Amino acid sequence: MSFITSIGTANPAARFPQSTIADFMVRAMQLNDPEARKLRALFRATGIDFRHSVIEDYGRQKDFDFYANTKTLEPFPSTHKRLALFRAHALQLSEKATHDALSRLPDFSMDSITHVIVVSCTGMYAPGLDIDLVKALRLRSNVQRLCINFMGCYAAFNALKLAHSFCEADIHAKVLVVCTEFCSLHFQKDNSEDNLLANALFADGSAAVLIEAQPRAGINLKPESFYCDLALSGEKDMAWTVGDLGFEMRLSSYVPGIIKKGIHELTASLLSQIQTEFSEISYFAIHPGGKKILEAMEEALGLSKKQNEYAYHVLRNFGNMSSPTVLFVLDELRKHLRPEDHDKKILSVAFGPGLTLESMILSIHHHA
């Protein structure tokens, strides 16, 4: 057995209204009036009010720090420059999320952490963020470390699966999972559908989760079952590659439809593992990849917007931060749980390149 005993979140200090980011994009992408109207309409349709970024330039019209102070932003930042900024800021934000999680457990000792799993698809280096966290948090030097890189928005599920396995193997396991993403580092200014969608949705954030083999007093989330599948028809509709000028995303408007088509089989397979009916699910934690994805999920599963409210809250206030995002949703849901929710079930789902569909059932465990 394993239990999610605490979740913490953090974001860069720079927080921008969606309209402010749209203004930056119109100038940076050098759009004409019809193109600018299209971009602003797309930004308004996302359901996002605010996003955070490690780059303060997105709130400026001039005097940039990261981008070149030219009309075209040329020379455009290299991948090397972008990853250097990731390295400069990833540890601080990861620490902040970790302290947010562990400060909720006043009797917790850092020496008790047995495993650290670090997740990111927007930056990497070696020796990496995992080792930097060991030093910064003053963990034992022999703590077991793993990194999950370049898997995209669903990667937190793979980290939770690993943590679950460690806890099942060792009753003393205490696994720290940290997902940190700076999606805004990889802004691309070419006027393409992929770039317009990515520039409208993605943001920066970090989430930390403690998974233990034993529950703690209060509300715990207990993973019951995981299920993963591939919708190979969407392999070319969502992708993430390394370019010379940052990481490049392929994100087509067909993704919500592909997810909608595959979600029924995914959910049925997941529930069959624990002999549970869909009607027994009380709460939902859906990765808010975008407003259209949430609407496709609601239509496919017969959910109301109220049932999906935690995903909308995260989308509205933070945008899509890739791997930490579903953990933000779980954290928001967890804040509203009460002792009387004991034994109720949560369905959580996320998506990413492949097109990968990840799902998980958690039960709510109130420990006196």
Side-chain angles (χ1 to χ4, degrees):
M1 289 188 292
S2 70
F3 299 87
I4 295 174
T5 56
S6 191
I7 305 174
T9 62
N11 298 92
R15 178 177 182 257
F16 306 114
Q18 183 78 323
S19 59
T20 298
I21 301 175
D23 291 341
F24 174 91
M25 297 298 173
V26 168
R27 293 190 300 271
M29 300 178 79
Q30 300 184 72
L31 303 182
N32 59 35
D33 287 345
E35 292 169 338
R37 286 194 293 272
K38 177 183 176 182
L39 179 143
R40 294 185 195 281
L42 174 63
F43 273 52
R44 288 193 298 269
T46 59
I48 298 171
D49 291 342
F50 298 97
R51 285 187 278 166
H52 293 256
S53 174
V54 73
I55 298 175
E56 295 187 0
D57 292 353
Y58 296 120
R60 299 172 176 169
Q61 297 184 16
K62 59 181 180 178
D63 299 328
F64 298 142
D65 289 328
F66 181 70
Y67 293 107
N69 282 285
T70 62
K71 185 177 180 180
T72 60
L73 302 186
E74 296 292 346
F76 209 45
S78 65
T79 301
H80 177 272
K81 182 176 180 180
R82 297 172 196 251
L83 294 187
L85 194 63
F86 178 91
R87 185 169 190 169
H89 293 278
L91 175 61
Q92 181 182 14
L93 197 67
S94 301
E95 275 191 277
K96 187 176 178 182
T98 300
H99 286 306
D100 185 46
L102 300 184
S103 66
R104 306 180 191 192
L105 309 174
D107 61 336
F108 188 80
S109 169
M110 290 290 190
D111 285 342
S112 67
I113 292 176
T114 58
H115 301 74
V116 174
I117 304 173
V118 170
V119 179
S120 186
C121 70
T122 54
M124 60 194 79
Y125 56 93
L129 180 56
D130 56 325
I131 293 177
D132 284 347
L133 275 170
V134 169
K135 293 187 294 183
L137 299 174
R138 298 184 179 181
L139 306 182
R140 291 182 290 108
S141 62
N142 64 346
V143 67
Q144 300 297 301
R145 295 174 289 105
L146 283 168
C147 295
I148 297 174
N149 296 119
F150 231 67
M151 298 192 81
C153 296
Y154 65 87
F157 280 71
N158 289 304
L160 293 176
K161 288 179 196 177
L162 283 170
H164 176 70
S165 296
F166 294 147
C167 289
E168 290 213 311
D170 180 2
I171 196 171
H172 301 295
K174 298 183 188 298
V175 186
L176 176 65
V177 171
V178 181
C179 300
T180 298
E181 305 285 10
F182 293 153
C183 302
S184 71
L185 283 180
H186 300 289
F187 161 61
Q188 301 295 316
K189 64 187 177 74
D190 292 339
N191 186 7
S192 67
E193 180 188 17
D194 290 339
N195 289 340
L196 287 171
L197 286 171
N199 295 342
L201 293 172
F202 286 95
D204 302 351
S206 179
V209 183
L210 183 66
I211 302 97
E212 302 182 76
Q214 299 291 327
R216 288 182 175 266
I219 298 292
N220 302 264
L221 302 180
K222 179 184 175 185
E224 297 278 0
S225 182
F226 297 91
Y227 188 79
C228 173
D229 207 348
L230 287 170
L232 291 175
S233 62
E235 184 176 4
K236 296 181 179 180
D237 291 284
M238 187 184 291
W240 191 225
T241 57
V242 179
D244 293 334
L245 303 175
F247 297 172
E248 299 168 359
M249 171 159 283
R250 185 182 308 130
L251 182 64
S252 85
S253 58
Y254 294 104
V255 168
I258 297 167
I259 290 172
K260 179 181 175 182
K261 186 177 180 181
I263 200 64
H264 271 300
E265 183 176 348
L266 179 81
T267 305
S269 299
L270 173 68
L271 293 173
S272 69
Q273 294 183 16
I274 55 173
Q275 299 180 333
T276 300
E277 298 294 327
F278 185 77
S279 60
E280 297 177 56
I281 303 297
S282 298
Y283 296 104
F284 298 87
I286 310 299
H287 167 66
K291 184 179 177 183
K292 288 188 176 181
I293 287 178
L294 294 180
E295 291 172 344
M297 288 288 298
E298 289 160 11
E299 188 173 346
L301 298 177
L303 303 181
S304 67
K305 281 188 165 42
K306 176 66 175 174
Q307 289 174 295
N308 214 5
E309 64 178 319
Y310 305 111
Y312 279 108
H313 171 86
V314 171
L315 182 66
R316 184 168 58 252
N317 290 285
F318 303 100
N320 182 349
M321 300 164 284
S322 192
S323 65
T325 316
V326 72
L327 301 178
F328 272 66
V329 178
L330 278 173
D331 185 44
E332 184 63 24
L333 190 164
R334 191 170 183 260
K335 293 173 185 175
H336 292 81
L337 298 178
R338 299 292 179 264
E340 52 268 29
D341 288 313
H342 180 73
D343 278 345
K344 290 183 180 179
K345 297 193 184 321
I346 301 167
L347 169 63
S348 187
V349 182
F351 326 96
L355 198 153
T356 301
L357 307 171
E358 283 279 1
S359 60
M360 169 177 61
I361 295 290
L362 305 107
S363 64
I364 301 161
H365 182 88
H366 179 257
H367 191 68

